[in-house]
Amino acid sequence: MLLGKLQKRFLCTYAAAAANQSRRQWPTVLQVTKTNFTEALQQLEDHVHSSDFISVSLRNTGSYSSSWHRLLPIDTSDTAYFKAKYAADRFQVLQFAVCPISVRSSKLISHPYNFHLFPRDVLNLGMPSYTFSCQPSYLTPMAQEGFDFNACIYDGITYLSREQESLSREKIGNLVPSDYMANSISTPSVADSIFSERIRSRVKNWRKAFNDDSCTKKTEVAEALIKSLQKLMLGSGEYSSRPCLSIDVCSDRQVQLILEVLGEFNDFVPMIVPAKGGGAQAVRIVLTSSEEDKILFEKELQSQEKEQNKHVRGFREVIDLISTSEKPIIAHNSLNDFSFIYSKFIASLPPTFDKFKSSLLLNFPYVVDVGHLMKEVRRHLYTTPDMEISRGGSDGKTLGLGSNAVRIGEIFAKICSVMKVNPESLGKSKDGGLKSYVNNFDNRRTVSVKDLVFIWGFKKGTSAQLLKKILCNSSFSSHDEEAFSDIRLLDKSCAVVAFSKPGSSECFLKAMHSSGGLLSAASYGTYSKACQMGMWEVDLADALDRAVMLDGHDLSGTHLDDPSEIIWDDDLMIDLDDL
């Protein structure tokens, strides 16, 4: 309760400060679509490198369709992750706000960007376009803020995740520069030696044919005939107006052997032709006319690859920029947001929370959730830090999502001032005074899940207080009201009971199951099973019924791999709409 009061006091103080600073000018949010994406990305790169931390905020097409799908106080890390994974797999990100923030002499310098996204299959690969769900309750506020859905669909920035980009390299089949030289094969076989010698002879003859001065003295008709014969007999052609030769391969070992042979020549640039199903289809050899021409061609290839990468990655260039900067990332609902970020821009979500957390750590080593930091607010709060205004672009508008990213940054800066933490030092030290809150996606826990029992089968409209009296007065219960530390409705069909004494939940479950009454009951293990199996399309009571049928009645919850504790009080959650 103390923390809840402190949070409300924080919000009131923040609101009062905002009212007193009504003349304060909010930073202009640069609205970014595919039209101005390249220019915005260059600006963002400068702002990220000079920032102390980066706040992010997402706007999705939905998150949950039933009250029990939300992150609840009873959720352990695993069950919370199952819910976040369900939402990330089903819904789509349409807006992604990024706000690099610097702290200079008690002033916040912020540069908010609001990127408009839409998954579009521009490469005809079947990626990333896929079916996604939309919920009116999420789209309506966006429309009220002036969000242009037509512009989003036609001018939104597309993207490929890292996983999808890897698959696209196999499917596109375009030429890509050979960015490696094969390791020398220390013990070549007889077959390797024969293959290498055959390639060496073929390459020498082809090279000699193009360097033979006599070929240049022929008539134009003769030259055309000779070139046609060369193409037929040698498999020759042109790439970027330079002679090239393609050699088909059937294994990576053959690629290595060819590259070893080409290392004997100074005027060849080798390239790998990817096969549709993965691996290499051929090695393409480009003949350059001089050392200067070779350097020029290699630069052309590097520029071509860079442009192709931008075209393929799209908005993921922003994600990679944030990731490689290793700056602290500040979020409001980190588990939900980073489940979406991982799913859309990195790879398919892992099956468990532990695997998700360890994999995410490799990409974002410093994530801080302002909701979790609120627990440390124990002192008097002072005025909101002054904010130096920085305009992101001439076409910027102050829309809700970009402003949310700014507010998240302001809250974080205020918490840092309360906790005596210098935001400017966060990027220079992995500790920075916030070590215990870095990559902490779940709340501190205070109640054991073994003391929780789920109840369903009561009449719809029954209040938690009435249900408590029914349970205490029932023949299968020997407990008085003090035995139940709390009862909460999770949706209209199901409630959760917290017992104050260890072991009481097991006794209660056994009594419930032996009574054969109308009410049904199960331990936390059944709830966890329902979340894990993804029974989201029904009420929680129906989901628990199915889990019981599949898994049997679980009286003790002993099959749980992690007999965790959870935090029961949810007063610490911050609603940005209240700020």
Side-chain angles (χ1 to χ4, degrees), residues 10 14 330-331 368-379 381 385 407-423 434 437 574:
F10 178 89
Y14 190 98
I330 315 303
V368 178
D369 193 310
V370 292
H372 298 160
L373 280 177
M374 282 299 300
K375 300 172 189 176
E376 296 302 316
V377 180
R378 299 285 199 277
R379 306 171 187 172
L381 300 173
R407 284 183 281 185
I408 290 172
E410 281 194 298
I411 293 173
F412 177 70
K414 168 54 65 179
I415 294 174
C416 285
S417 68
V418 171
M419 297 176 64
K420 309 298 183 184
V421 173
N422 182 7
L434 300 175
Y437 296 94
I574 301 175

Side-chain angles (χ1 to χ4, degrees), residues 58-312:
L58 280 62
R59 188 62 57 83
N60 309 318
T61 61
S63 180
Y64 59 87
S65 55
S66 179
S67 58
W68 75 276
H69 296 172
R70 295 177 296 176
L71 180 61
L72 300 173
I74 63 168
D75 288 322
T76 62
S77 300
D78 287 329
T79 54
Y81 174 66
F82 293 145
K83 293 181 177 183
K85 182 178 183 298
Y86 162 75
D89 289 339
R90 185 180 182 187
F91 299 102
Q92 179 61 40
V93 180
L94 292 186
Q95 288 180 284
F96 196 118
V98 179
C99 185
I101 297 178
S102 303
V103 182
R104 300 291 182 269
S105 302
S106 74
K107 290 186 178 182
L108 299 184
I109 306 173
S110 63
H111 302 272
Y113 296 75
N114 186 20
F115 294 89
H116 298 254
L117 312 181
F118 195 78
R120 192 179 299 103
D121 188 9
V122 295
L123 300 176
N124 296 319
L125 300 173
M127 300 181 297
S129 299
Y130 43 77
T131 301
F132 59 87
S133 299
C134 294
Q135 291 177 338
S137 59
Y138 279 74
L139 301 184
T140 301
M142 295 171 62
Q144 292 173 343
E145 293 171 357
F147 183 76
D148 190 337
F149 289 93
N150 282 328
C152 174
I153 294 172
Y154 294 109
D155 205 26
I157 308 164
T158 190
Y159 55 83
L160 286 182
S161 69
R162 293 177 186 172
E163 182 181 58
Q164 290 169 336
E165 181 185 4
S166 178
L167 293 173
S168 75
R169 297 300 182 189
E170 301 176 359
K171 292 185 176 182
I172 293 176
N174 288 340
L175 289 168
V176 295
S178 173
D179 57 357
Y180 64 92
M181 290 302 292
N183 296 325
S184 177
I185 300 177
S186 57
T187 56
S189 65
V190 175
D192 291 339
S193 300
I194 294 174
F195 178 82
S196 297
E197 187 57 37
R198 183 162 54 87
I199 296 300
R200 185 178 292 106
S201 176
R202 181 179 177 184
V203 169
K204 281 183 178 181
N205 291 333
W206 174 74
R207 181 172 177 264
K208 181 180 179 181
F210 273 97
N211 289 336
D212 190 349
D213 292 339
S214 63
C215 290
T216 62
K217 299 176 183 178
K218 308 294 181 182
T219 63
E220 292 184 3
V221 176
E223 285 185 15
L225 178 59
I226 290 173
K227 287 184 178 181
S228 298
L229 290 174
Q230 287 175 338
K231 290 181 180 181
L232 290 173
M233 299 180 65
L234 301 177
S236 179
E238 285 189 355
Y239 186 86
S240 187
S241 73
R242 296 173 177 86
C244 65
L245 174 69
S246 292
I247 302 176
D248 293 336
V249 295
C250 57
S251 68
D252 289 339
R253 189 175 184 84
Q254 288 187 351
V255 174
Q256 293 175 351
L257 291 170
I258 293 173
L259 294 178
E260 279 191 9
V261 171
L262 296 180
E264 301 172 7
F265 303 88
N266 296 324
D267 48 2
F268 287 144
V269 176
M271 305 174 68
I272 307 299
V273 182
K276 294 289 184 179
Q281 172 183 319
V283 175
R284 178 146 296 181
I285 307 167
V286 179
L287 177 63
T288 57
S289 59
S290 63
E291 183 64 25
E292 292 77 12
D293 184 49
K294 182 178 181 180
I295 294 174
L296 176 62
F297 180 57
E298 288 176 340
K299 288 183 178 179
E300 289 177 3
L301 290 178
Q302 292 172 359
S303 177
Q304 179 183 343
E305 183 182 29
K306 186 176 181 180
E307 289 302 315
Q308 185 186 40
N309 287 340
K310 284 186 177 180
H311 184 60
V312 168

Side-chain angles (χ1 to χ4, degrees), residues 475-477 508-519:
S475 58
F476 52 77
S477 175
F508 181 79
L509 277 171
K510 290 178 180 178
M512 284 280 290
H513 293 156
S514 62
S515 67
L518 296 178
L519 293 179

